[in-house]
Amino acid sequence: MIKRCPQHGLFRGEHCECGSSGQLLLDDAKTEQLGRLVAGCLRHFPADLGLPMDGRGWVDLNKLCQVVASRHRWADRELIVALVSSDSKHRYEIRGDKVRARYGHSVDVQLDHPENRLARLYYGASEEEADRILEIGIKPASQRYVHLSTTPEKAWHVATFRTGNPRVIQVDAAAAQASGVKMMTVSDDIVISEMIPAEFLGIMRSQDIHRQDL
């Protein structure tokens, strides 16, 4: 659910960090409905909805509101902005009268986030996926870019959603970027990348994943 605290603004969940129960804007069901439609508009099928998108993934916010309202009459501009602005995973951003998804696209976009500065990055996979990846590299599957984690712990956590036997692949990001692979920082947790050749990859030992000095 999405609520508004009179002191701290938008938040998700029952209570703001200050303890306020806040004003309810969207319950869980409507947050889910609106979230799925906005994700489709900004990541996957804007053209099917008559929503023009530029090469960087930006769309007109007013046009997005019109498209959404045509399917959910209760979803006005305030609620759409609340959904986008309160997203804890920083999936979206608004600049002026434009809005876009920051990552997760299946449509062909050329994003322009800051260049990655971390020397090492991490990718979570199943045991079977890891064996294959070490042979052929990491390629985008259903998304435009490969999504990497900034710590091995985060990569492990991501992989647990897909497999009960996760593996973490370490990426020599510095060497990959020096060779011409484009990597961009999306958030403190996520870096997106073009295809990463196998020569920059290595499997991590399980006992090393949770070491504090990584």
Side-chain angles (χ1 to χ4, degrees), residues 1 4 9 23 29 37 50 52 68 72 99 124 127 139 145 150 187-188 197:
M1 69 181 64
R4 178 182 287 113
Q23 173 195 2
L37 180 54
V68 171
H72 299 312
V99 60
E127 185 174 11
K139 300 179 180 181
Y145 294 96
T150 54
S187 69
D188 291 341

Side-chain angles (χ1 to χ4, degrees), residues 66-85:
Q66 293 171 12
V67 169
V68 171
S70 70
R71 287 155 177 79
H72 299 312
R73 291 188 176 182
W74 47 265
D76 59 17
R77 182 188 176 102
E78 178 187 14
L79 296 181
I80 294 169
V81 171
L83 178 94
V84 168
S85 302

Side-chain angles (χ1 to χ4, degrees), residues 13-176:
E14 293 289 346
H15 297 93
C16 177
E17 59 185 13
C18 69
S20 170
S21 58
Q23 173 195 2
L24 179 66
L25 298 180
L26 284 170
D27 61 24
D28 287 337
K30 286 188 174 180
T31 299
E32 176 72 13
Q33 290 176 28
L34 186 57
R36 287 183 179 276
L37 180 54
V38 169
C41 289
L42 299 182
R43 287 174 157 178
H44 305 304
F45 40 80
D48 293 344
L49 298 172
L51 188 62
M53 176 180 287
D54 72 16
R56 302 296 188 187
W58 293 102
V59 305
D60 183 85
L61 179 56
N62 288 328
K63 182 63 176 176
L64 173 66
C65 293
Q66 293 171 12
V67 169
V68 171
S70 70
R71 287 155 177 79
H72 299 312
R73 291 188 176 182
W74 47 265
D76 59 17
R77 182 188 176 102
E78 178 187 14
L79 296 181
I80 294 169
V81 171
L83 178 94
V84 168
S85 302
S86 66
D87 186 83
S88 61
K89 294 184 178 180
H90 308 290
R91 294 181 179 96
Y92 309 106
E93 62 180 320
I94 295 175
R95 291 185 192 171
D97 60 354
K98 300 288 186 180
V99 60
R100 72 172 174 180
R102 293 175 53 79
Y103 61 95
H105 299 82
S106 58
V107 294
D108 187 16
V109 292
Q110 299 295 325
L111 297 177
D112 54 354
H113 298 305
E115 182 181 4
N116 166 62
R117 298 297 183 185
L118 297 176
R120 289 181 290 181
L121 295 166
Y122 307 90
Y123 185 83
S126 68
E127 185 174 11
E128 296 77 14
E129 289 171 334
D131 290 341
R132 182 66 171 159
I133 284 169
L134 292 177
E135 293 179 1
I136 67 171
I138 309 177
K139 300 179 180 181
S142 59
Q143 296 176 326
R144 169 65 179 83
Y145 294 96
V146 173
H147 290 63
L148 304 171
S149 297
T150 54
T151 69
E153 294 88 351
K154 290 167 185 170
W156 177 277
H157 179 70
V158 169
T160 60
F161 288 101
R162 305 199 307 272
T163 178
N165 191 24
R167 294 290 184 269
V168 173
I169 295 169
Q170 182 172 279
V171 180
D172 187 344

